[in-house]
Amino acid sequence: MYPPNSLQDQEVVSRKRVRSRRVVYGVLLLSLGLNVYFFAGEGRSSTPWAKNMWSSGKPEGDGMLHAPAREEIAAVSPAVSQSGEADAKIGEAGSSPEEDSGNEVVGSAQDSAAPHVRVQQAALSVPDPLKGREVFAMNLKIRNSLTHTVCKSISEEGGCEPLSAHIARLLAWFFDIGKSMRNGDDMQVIYERLNTDEQFRILKLVYQSRRFDTSFEANYYELGNRGYGAYFDQEGKEISQRIQDSQSPIRDYIEITSLPGDFRSGRRGHSGTDFKADVGTPVFSSFEGKVLRTTWNFRNNGYCIELDHPREGVKTRYLHLSRILVKRGQYVQAGDQIAESGNTGRTFAPHLHYEIVDRDKGRTIFNPFEFKYINSYHRRLSETDLLQFRKVVQNYNSILQSS
């Protein structure tokens, strides 16, 4: 017996063709009927969706319009900005998709991924100390990731990625961003655009966490006349930790810009802690030890030092220096100055790269703020500074209330 011929299935295809013809005829008849309906009712139809179908995309009635290309968030300083809402279905890895019922972004127009954007005018009052500066405000609802959320508010050309990095740098002191962020978390940000390599400065950050059921807050405040400041919570406690002076590799620094394990695009996690500091800032040994080597792999590390600390069972490394004050084989005490910070090797700005690794092969990298032989603390504002700090926070809050 011969096997069945596959062409026997042609009758099924024939039925499908007949069914398809009927569908086409039905669509044509329906189209003809709609055309007759519209021509007959031209000039008097009040059907809302019919108006939108033929509109030119300009706002009318309830303020609906077609979304333009993503634009930079409207500045707070002109006292007028726009707020937008967009609906989208977005999920996160390891969880069921959630629906975004209102992702508010102060002063932005969403990109073409959302078909429409609702725009409303909102008057914003700017406190006198911030007038004349490029200050912006955002109210965001987290979707997918921090970078995705910010880049849905301002364009890549407007600097959404570096702005996300600044925000992530602050949030890292509160929780693990990769593990603890949740879709639907609310975030408010006030930031300033700078004409420097940093591009931005976060002035205030408020993050409402669904996982921890609490709100995290960071406020920028400048101490004295240094020209740079730090971030404090609403009670005046510094957000980032500091290492006790006798063990700190650098005591006078602007800010910590990276921690061990921070993600680097195309590379493994960051291997140390970066302290942003002016060139020539004194660098100190964290523990008693011996100088193992200096200035290896100059192209990447620049001028650098490696110290051995048998008692603690680790080695410490100090990279991108401008000047080295010790020699190979020399013994140093904890707190001795061994170098000056710089901007040598593979670096984009002056800073000290500081590492604590195991003595064996250096495969284990320790976070200095979690290392058992290092004492760290949170700085608190004095009573005098606290009075001025509260005035600064009040100015920030007035901007958020206006937005």
Side-chain angles (χ1 to χ4, degrees), residues 246-258:
S246 62
Q247 297 176 315
S248 181
I250 188 168
R251 299 165 190 171
D252 187 17
Y253 58 90
I254 299 172
E255 63 178 322
I256 296 172
T257 58
S258 188

Side-chain angles (χ1 to χ4, degrees), residues 90-334:
I90 304 174
E92 76 178 336
S95 66
S96 58
E98 298 178 16
E99 223 173 270
D100 186 356
S101 59
N103 185 9
E104 290 189 41
V105 183
V106 173
S108 76
Q110 299 292 336
D111 64 10
S112 57
H116 296 88
V117 176
R118 188 181 301 277
V119 176
Q120 300 171 339
Q121 296 295 325
L124 298 176
S125 60
V126 182
D128 289 339
L130 296 175
K131 285 183 178 179
R133 294 158 62 176
E134 291 188 81
V135 178
F136 304 85
M138 296 190 298
N139 294 321
L140 304 175
K141 190 174 290 291
I142 299 299
R143 283 294 178 267
N144 278 356
S145 69
L146 179 61
T147 300
H148 173 86
T149 301
V150 175
C151 289
K152 291 288 284 185
S153 304
I154 63 175
S155 65
E156 292 184 13
E157 295 77 12
C160 69
E161 290 188 356
L163 179 58
S164 298
H166 281 276
I167 296 173
R169 189 181 299 169
L170 274 178
L171 290 177
W173 292 105
F174 297 120
F175 54 77
D176 187 320
I177 297 175
K179 297 179 180 179
S180 299
M181 247 182 193
R182 295 292 182 268
N183 278 337
D185 286 356
D186 291 308
M187 182 172 67
Q188 295 176 296
V189 183
I190 302 174
Y191 69 95
E192 177 182 9
R193 183 176 289 277
L194 305 174
N195 293 320
T196 65
D197 293 338
E198 288 292 305
Q199 300 186 48
F200 303 101
R201 174 186 291 143
I202 305 299
L203 298 178
K204 185 180 183 73
L205 170 67
V206 180
Y207 191 95
Q208 184 63 45
S209 170
R210 297 172 65 194
R211 178 181 181 184
F212 299 107
D213 192 26
T214 190
S215 179
F216 300 103
E217 182 174 327
N219 300 277
Y220 180 79
Y221 178 68
E222 293 186 2
L223 284 164
N225 298 317
R226 293 186 175 186
Y228 57 85
Y231 292 92
F232 300 84
D233 66 11
Q234 60 268 39
E235 302 300 326
K237 185 178 77 171
E238 191 170 13
I239 300 303
S240 62
Q241 296 183 61
R242 288 183 174 266
I243 300 174
Q244 184 176 299
D245 279 357
S246 62
Q247 297 176 315
S248 181
I250 188 168
R251 299 165 190 171
D252 187 17
Y253 58 90
I254 299 172
E255 63 178 322
I256 296 172
T257 58
S258 188
L259 292 169
D262 284 356
F263 175 74
R264 296 297 176 89
S265 180
R267 302 165 56 190
R268 64 180 182 176
H270 191 228
S271 60
T273 302
D274 288 347
F275 297 84
K276 179 181 177 182
D278 295 330
V279 173
T281 303
V283 174
F284 307 93
S285 171
S286 294
F287 313 105
E288 177 185 348
K290 177 183 177 181
V291 180
L292 290 180
R293 54 178 174 168
T294 62
T295 311
W296 69 98
N297 192 9
F298 181 82
R299 182 176 180 180
N300 289 324
N301 300 336
Y303 294 112
C304 52
I305 300 172
E306 183 177 57
L307 303 181
D308 182 35
H309 312 285
R311 186 170 59 184
E312 290 76 18
V314 296
K315 294 183 290 187
T316 56
R317 296 169 181 164
Y318 312 77
L319 278 55
H320 311 303
L321 307 170
S322 63
R323 186 182 177 197
I324 295 176
L325 303 178
V326 293
K327 297 180 180 181
R328 181 179 179 181
Q330 181 178 338
Y331 284 89
V332 296
Q333 299 296 317

